[in-house]
């Protein structure tokens, strides 16, 4: 979000901006979300099935609560980021 905002401001100011996505910068939040989906909604991670994920904010909040309370989930979430 911060990088996108800075890019928008600099671009609006007339600067030439090159937007790059650092693939390794996924963050633990993606690992938490993927592991929560793997546990609670495994069909969401299969290519051949379509699943309505609804409100991703609700899913993220549930994943964050698990991350804060469950040590095993925390470890799997961090390891999941490396796999991404």
């Amino acid at each position: 979000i911060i990088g996108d905002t800075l890019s928008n401001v600099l671009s609006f100011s007339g600067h030439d901006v090159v937007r790059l996505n650092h693939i390794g910068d996924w963050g633990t939040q993606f690992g938490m979300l993927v592991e929560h989906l793997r546990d609670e909604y495994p069909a969401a991670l299969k290519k051949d099935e379509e699943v309505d994920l609804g409100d991703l904010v609700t899913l993220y909040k549930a994943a964050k609560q698990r991350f804060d309370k469950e040590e095993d989930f925390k470890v799997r979430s961090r390891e999941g980021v490396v796999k991404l």
Side-chain angles (χ1 to χ4, degrees), residues 19-80:
R19 296 167 190 257
L20 298 174
N21 179 25
H22 177 4
I23 299 299
D25 192 16
W26 291 94
T28 304
Q29 64 272 19
F30 283 102
M32 291 179 347
L33 188 55
V34 169
E35 289 305 312
H36 183 66
L37 289 172
R38 189 181 316 275
D39 292 345
E40 302 297 324
Y41 305 95
L45 300 176
K46 295 181 182 178
K47 292 180 182 178
D48 58 339
E49 294 190 35
E50 186 174 319
V51 176
D52 180 10
L53 296 177
D55 186 4
L56 286 175
V57 173
T58 301
L59 292 171
Y60 173 78
K61 286 180 180 180
K64 177 65 170 132
Q65 286 179 348
R66 291 184 65 193
F67 185 84
D68 291 342
K69 293 178 182 175
E70 301 174 27
E71 189 61 32
D72 177 61
F73 183 76
K74 184 181 290 189
V75 169
R76 288 189 297 126
S77 296
R78 288 183 174 149
E79 290 173 351

